[in-house]
Amino acid sequence: MNIQLRPWTLSDLSRLVALANNPKIASFLTDEFPYPYEEQHGRKFLDMVTSANPVNVMAITLHGEVVGAIGVHPKSGIERRNAELGYWIGEEYWGRGLGTSAIRQMVNYAFSTFPIHRIFARPFGNNPASQRILEKAGFTLEARFEGTLIKHEVVLDELHYAIRRMK
């Protein structure tokens, strides 16, 4: 499998919109991820991620074609040793192990690029596929908070998975 991470470019706009404009993807992400996902959303996203230095959000590619997105978001203040991981894969690529490979690559990149010691992810309780991907990538479940999230008027559990820098 030839999964690679690379910085986003403005030329990725049409592919980004085509993949991201999917209610199944939006249903597992925060409300800040819009559906429908339109060109103006893609432009705003690309403007943000292409100006970051160092890069913290990357395109997931398979044989050179964009298939999803992954990012780490370093925290500040008392949480400055932590970063939050977020990712999504285009629906047509689900179930192929791409997420696990992308997460492993992003974890290596993040620990070598940012002064962090822990990366965490917060999948929804109704997303067992994402939970399995994180576990396969070496994350462990640290906590489950029952009924703390609401998505599409459905109350969901919030899970906290994390991986720590090796000493």
Side-chain angles (χ1 to χ4, degrees), residues 67-133:
V67 298
I70 189 163
V72 290
H73 306 279
K75 300 299 179 182
S76 61
I78 63 171
E79 295 179 299
R80 66 185 169 270
R81 292 175 49 125
N82 299 275
E84 184 169 6
L85 174 75
Y87 55 91
W88 59 266
I89 305 279
E91 183 180 7
E92 64 192 273
Y93 301 97
W94 291 357
R96 297 189 192 180
L98 307 182
T100 301
S101 177
I103 290 169
R104 286 178 178 147
Q105 289 180 47
M106 183 54 95
V107 164
N108 290 336
Y109 170 79
F111 282 143
S112 67
T113 304
F114 301 100
I116 56 174
H117 296 271
R118 177 177 167 268
I119 300 171
F120 67 95
R122 300 180 307 139
F124 299 168
N126 67 339
N127 191 350
S130 190
Q131 296 163 38
R132 279 193 306 276
I133 288 169

Side-chain angles (χ1 to χ4, degrees), residues 147-162:
T148 58
L149 305 175
I150 299 177
K151 182 70 177 187
H152 301 306
E153 303 309 315
V154 175
V155 177
L156 302 170
D157 291 352
E158 174 184 9
L159 284 68
H160 281 231
Y161 279 83

Side-chain angles (χ1 to χ4, degrees), residues 47-76:
D47 286 346
M48 177 187 67
V49 300
T50 58
S51 65
N53 186 17
V55 173
N56 69 309
V57 179
M58 297 201 189
I60 303 170
T61 65
L62 176 63
H63 306 297
E65 183 174 41
V66 173
V67 298
I70 189 163
V72 290
H73 306 279
K75 300 299 179 182
S76 61

Side-chain angles (χ1 to χ4, degrees), residues 5-23:
L5 305 184
R6 67 157 172 81
W8 287 94
T9 67
L10 299 178
S11 64
D12 292 323
L13 178 62
S14 63
R15 182 69 175 154
L16 168 63
V17 172
L19 289 170
N21 189 30
N22 183 324

